[in-house]
Amino acid sequence: MLLKNSYLVFKKDLSSELRTRYVINSLLMFVLVTISIIRFAIGDEKADNEILTGLLWIAVFFTSVSGLSRTFVKEEEKETSVALKLSTGSDSVIIGKLLFNSALTFSLNALILFLFVIITDYQIKNLSGFLLVLIFGNLGLVSASTIIAAIISKANSKGTLYPVLSFPVLLPLLITVINATKLASLGAETDKLFGEIQILVSYFIVVTVASLMLFKYVWED
Amino acid sequence: MKSIEIVCDNLSKIYSGKVIFKNLSLKLSSGNSVSILGKNGSGKSTLIKILSGIISANKGSITVSENNIPVPGNLCYTKIGLISPYLNLYDELTAYENLKFFCGLKNNSDIGIDEKINFYLNRVKLFDKRNETVKNFSSGMKQKLKLIFAVINEPGILYMDEPGTNLDSEGIDIVYETAEEHKKNGILVVATNDKEDIKLCERSINIEDYK
Amino acid sequence: MNKIFTWLVFLIITGVIISGIAMPIPDIPALGDKARVLYFHVPMSWISVLAFFMSMWYSIRYLKTKDLDYDIRSYSCAQLGFLFCILATATGSLWAKFSWGSFWNWDPRQTSIFILLLIYGAYFALRSAIDSEDQRAKLSSVYAIIAAVTVPFFVFIMPRIVESLHPDPIINTQGKINMDSSMLIVFISALTGFTMLYLWMLNLKVRIEKVNYKKLSLND
């Protein structure tokens, strides 16, 4: 029942998003704008991987803090959350939203990485290690941003509050993931990245468990 | 037939330091109906929200029991139907998709759901519009759809907050018909100031008495 | 009882300030007289962390009981924690200027306290963006807990990124506290004194917030 309802919430969010394209369209534009700014800032110079990795993660961070709150904010703004509250438990709502945000983040990040590599001539020497770090980093990014999205959807001035609240919570993840992707792009062996991956996995688990435990307090008004 | 009972014990709600109501006790069981009266802004909707478990009271307790067995607090929503102005359905989905989604959440199997949705859509004369997105509905049509949302899973307790809003006389007749039918076995609570709505219920409480 | 406590705080703090500034200290290589900041900087840092976790603890209590009293405590802890966090940053920065040559150089310890400042800032920003006090209490509690579970990660992350210049390697070689007994006495009384001062201020702060809250309730 829990899994079925989570899947239904996920499917509902996905089909309503595919129909309105509210988040996707603006995020696609956002990604394009960010990547072009990076392109114009670098110009024809050859930037090294230390700087490029940082720029890549700036693009990823700001894309996620401009898009991932939408799924909760919309439920509050359109007053559909009451209908959802009376139809299913809070657990399936948070799992459904986590699934939706993961789908969104993974597809957007694939796009960001693709455009970034094309535009800036970013060399990744250890691609499998890089992708492994990216996947675990994204999982943690999604679970932290989703619970914070749930919190800010009930507050005023949602847009500005979201990056302010997300940044300190995401910082341990960002520091680790930037460091690990930098090492991977410079060609470090995957087993050298094991320590970083351990941190990313435990961050994901800790934040997800805390979200699942705390979400019911956020969800009831 | 399942019997249902709701007991509220000394409910109090304070919002921004202002007492909305205090020491409100209420006991209702199958077949009971009550209307909640009070001026605009007196807290009728707040009471409905607390009773339906959307927001919590500052003091007091609410117990819902089915066949004399208390329902755990986190499952109370399964026994409740609500129609109110602050509850909306998804604009970008069609009428059918909305109902299918909410029925799917509350039922374990899909068997018979389509028939049920079609039956209710026919009843409020929205069957022709079933594949149109709710965004294009008039407010009266939306209200009718919300009525279906409230009753389609046959809840034990039905809360109606200003049920007549935006409805034509035909729509209001459907609301009354539904309410009368629900009253036979379930609990009906109506928050209203409309004289006709009050007649639906066997008794009424005035929220101003609990300030 | 309360009065005795107040006097005790006053006496210890006075003693710490006088002996901390005026009492001669043994020569510590590379630190010298600058080591005196230790009597003030370490207690401030300790209290900003203590207040942070106390705030989280009261947040958990609030979510369990829904008693606004705990929210007032959690908020008061955060406010005092923020104050001590700023003091720790300032004293640490001064020390850094005279020992390492610049006020700020993203040392792991400086980064950690910067993050603590950010979390406190975000917590207050969230609180000021919510109107209803129940909602405010609930959401800020959830945020405090989420932030607190991510803080311990820095313990594992920071050593991987940069080497620390922070002087516990100098003062605590091989895990031993390398202070002579007179310094140790002042240091320990500074820790106790400032912690007691924090608790005393917390008590006062909680009472003020409660009065404010009651005043609000009577104003309708």
Side-chain angles (χ1 to χ4, degrees):
Chain A
M1 195 67 186
L2 173 71
L3 288 179
K4 179 183 157 246
N5 280 3
S6 312
Y7 172 69
L8 282 175
V9 171
F10 165 65
K11 211 178 78 178
K12 184 269 298 173
D13 273 348
L14 198 65
S15 59
S16 87
E17 179 52 42
L18 289 176
R19 202 161 293 171
T20 59
R21 307 260 170 89
Y22 195 97
V23 186
I24 296 178
N25 280 351
S26 54
L27 279 190
L28 282 181
M29 283 316 292
F30 190 92
V31 169
L32 280 178
V33 169
T34 318
I35 300 277
S36 343
I37 291 177
I38 291 174
R39 169 71 185 84
F40 295 128
I42 296 175
D44 286 333
E45 280 173 56
K46 181 95 184 74
D48 49 8
N49 274 14
E50 267 97 5
I51 291 173
L52 285 179
T53 316
L55 288 174
L56 173 68
W57 281 99
I58 290 175
V60 170
F61 173 75
F62 281 102
T63 311
S64 45
V65 292
S66 46
L68 295 187
S69 65
R70 193 60 207 162
T71 168
F72 274 114
V73 171
K74 205 184 94 206
E75 301 273 2
E76 295 299 323
E77 275 176 359
K78 302 239 170 165
E79 297 185 304
T80 49
S81 64
V82 175
L84 205 51
K85 266 173 213 158
L86 288 174
S87 303
T88 187
S90 59
D91 293 340
S92 28
V93 176
I94 182 79
I95 298 176
K97 301 283 182 191
L98 278 171
L99 289 174
F100 175 72
N101 272 350
S102 315
L104 194 64
T105 310
F106 276 100
S107 37
L108 276 172
N109 283 1
L111 177 76
I112 293 176
L113 186 65
F114 175 70
L115 290 175
F116 193 81
V117 168
I118 290 180
I119 287 177
T120 62
D121 198 23
Y122 184 54
Q123 304 285 338
I124 304 166
K125 295 223 176 75
N126 177 0
L127 187 64
S128 58
F130 187 92
L131 290 178
L132 202 63
V133 171
L134 195 69
I135 288 168
F136 287 118
N138 272 342
L139 287 174
L141 181 74
V142 167
S143 50
S145 343
T146 306
I147 185 75
I148 290 172
I151 293 175
I152 60 126
S153 69
K154 312 266 178 173
N156 312 325
S157 70
K158 304 173 172 68
T160 37
L161 208 53
Y162 195 38
V164 170
L165 293 198
S166 312
F167 184 67
V169 172
L170 282 175
L171 204 56
L173 177 96
L174 288 175
I175 294 176
T176 315
V177 89
I178 289 172
N179 196 34
T181 42
K182 186 180 75 195
L183 291 176
S185 73
L186 292 169
E189 294 295 316
T190 308
D191 45 315
K192 291 257 172 58
L193 302 171
F194 191 64
E196 267 79 9
I197 292 175
Q198 273 180 316
I199 292 176
L200 293 178
V201 171
S202 55
Y203 180 93
F204 166 65
I205 293 171
V206 165
V207 176
T208 310
V209 169
S211 307
L212 293 179
M213 284 168 69
L214 294 170
F215 179 69
K216 63 168 185 281
Y217 300 108
V218 182
W219 186 234
E220 64 176 39
D221 273 296
Chain B
M1 203 67 219
K2 284 173 187 166
S3 76
I4 191 117
E5 189 184 55
I6 180 166
V7 181
C8 311
D9 196 25
N10 276 319
L11 291 180
S12 302
K13 180 72 185 175
I14 299 155
Y15 187 83
S16 299
K18 212 177 134 196
V19 177
I20 310 288
F21 52 79
K22 62 184 177 201
N23 300 330
L24 193 152
S25 297
L26 194 62
K27 187 179 171 203
L28 298 164
S29 44
S30 291
N32 287 155
S33 55
V34 63
S35 59
I36 300 167
L37 312 177
K39 291 194 290 259
N40 289 339
S42 57
K44 296 193 295 290
S45 292
T46 311
L47 179 58
I48 292 279
K49 281 182 190 171
I50 290 173
L51 289 174
S52 52
I54 300 165
I55 61 175
S56 47
N58 295 82
K59 284 201 193 81
S61 65
I62 300 174
T63 325
V64 176
S65 358
E66 192 176 58
N67 298 333
N68 293 323
I69 304 159
V71 180
N74 57 348
L75 288 177
C76 279
Y77 71 87
T78 55
K79 312 294 169 211
I80 286 169
L82 170 69
I83 172 167
S84 79
Y86 40 84
L87 180 154
N88 285 330
L89 303 179
Y90 293 98
D91 263 355
E92 59 279 0
L93 302 181
T94 66
Y96 171 76
E97 282 169 333
N98 261 303
L99 295 173
K100 177 95 180 173
F101 170 62
F102 287 115
C103 285
L105 290 175
K106 275 201 171 175
N107 294 289
N108 275 321
S109 78
D110 282 352
I111 302 162
I113 283 186
D114 277 355
E115 287 76 15
K116 215 154 67 169
I117 293 174
N118 291 342
F119 168 75
Y120 278 102
L121 281 170
N122 265 319
R123 189 166 170 187
V124 300
K125 304 197 170 53
L126 282 178
F127 189 75
D128 301 339
K129 311 265 185 189
R130 64 201 283 266
N131 287 326
E132 277 183 37
T133 50
V134 174
K135 197 165 43 191
N136 301 328
F137 278 24
S138 73
S139 41
M141 284 153 78
K142 281 184 187 162
Q143 184 73 0
K144 285 179 189 165
L145 197 61
K146 288 202 250 175
L147 180 71
I148 303 181
F149 164 76
V151 295
I152 193 162
N153 291 306
E154 286 132 21
I157 311 168
L158 180 61
Y159 296 108
M160 292 179 147
D161 195 348
E162 311 279 356
T165 325
N166 297 321
L167 285 179
D168 52 16
S169 60
E170 192 192 11
I172 290 180
D173 285 345
I174 297 172
V175 170
Y176 287 171
E177 214 174 282
T178 319
E180 288 293 346
E181 204 172 288
H182 179 84
K183 251 163 55 177
K184 286 181 197 149
N185 297 308
I187 298 170
L188 177 71
V189 181
V190 186
T192 187
N193 278 319
D194 189 288
K195 296 213 170 59
E196 290 298 314
D197 291 358
I198 298 167
K199 284 185 201 153
L200 273 175
C201 305
E202 49 188 21
R203 67 191 177 100
S204 63
I205 56 170
N206 193 329
I207 203 153
E208 315 273 352
D209 300 342
Y210 297 93
K211 293 277 173 185
Chain C
M1 183 58 218
N2 217 333
K3 235 178 185 149
I4 302 170
F5 191 82
T6 312
W7 275 104
L8 207 60
V9 171
F10 175 72
L11 283 176
I12 296 178
I13 295 286
T14 317
V16 165
I17 290 173
I18 292 172
S19 49
I21 293 172
M23 204 179 71
I25 56 167
D27 187 48
I28 299 171
L31 282 176
D33 260 348
K34 286 176 288 218
R36 288 181 194 281
V37 79
L38 171 95
Y39 299 138
F40 306 99
H41 174 65
V42 177
M44 308 291 163
S45 319
W46 148 246
I47 290 165
S48 47
V49 174
L50 174 75
F52 179 73
F53 283 101
M54 275 177 78
S55 176
M56 181 199 78
W57 168 248
Y58 284 126
S59 296
I60 296 176
R61 299 291 312 149
Y62 172 77
L63 289 180
K64 284 216 163 141
T65 60
K66 296 284 161 67
D67 183 353
L68 273 176
D69 196 51
Y70 286 115
D71 179 58
I72 290 172
R73 280 168 194 279
S74 174
Y75 180 50
S76 307
C77 284
Q79 279 185 316
L80 288 177
F82 188 54
L83 174 73
F84 279 96
C85 202
I86 290 172
L87 289 174
T89 316
T91 48
S93 255
L94 279 175
W95 195 358
K97 172 71 184 167
F98 293 104
S99 293
W100 308 333
S102 82
F103 285 113
W104 200 264
N105 43 14
W106 297 106
D107 182 84
R109 295 298 172 100
Q110 286 180 324
T111 314
S112 320
I113 206 141
F114 171 69
I115 289 149
L116 211 52
L117 277 173
L118 278 184
I119 293 176
Y120 277 129
Y123 176 85
F124 296 129
L126 176 65
R127 285 191 77 96
S128 59
I130 307 166
D131 301 326
S132 127
E133 67 261 5
D134 291 327
Q135 282 278 59
R136 180 165 56 222
K138 203 155 50 186
L139 297 178
S140 56
S141 295
V142 171
Y143 185 71
I145 298 169
I146 292 280
V149 298
T150 59
V151 162
F153 281 96
F154 288 104
V155 178
F156 306 106
I157 294 166
M158 277 312 168
R160 296 179 155 271
I161 314 295
V162 253
E163 295 263 320
S164 179
L165 288 171
H166 198 271
D168 5 26
I170 303 165
I171 297 176
N172 296 355
T173 25
Q174 295 122 28
K176 270 190 283 180
I177 303 173
N178 220 346
M179 281 188 259
D180 81 342
S181 55
S182 66
M183 244 186 116
L184 198 63
I185 289 168
V186 181
F187 178 68
I188 286 172
S189 23
L191 265 185
T192 1
F194 280 108
T195 310
M196 282 165 79
L197 179 71
Y198 158 71
L199 293 174
W200 181 78
M201 285 167 83
L202 182 65
N203 179 28
L204 211 61
K205 183 81 202 156
V206 168
R207 278 157 59 199
I208 294 170
E209 290 291 332
K210 275 187 192 162
V211 169
N212 280 343
Y213 179 69
K214 287 219 178 89
K215 219 159 59 187
L216 197 77
S217 323
L218 292 175
N219 265 350
D220 63 295

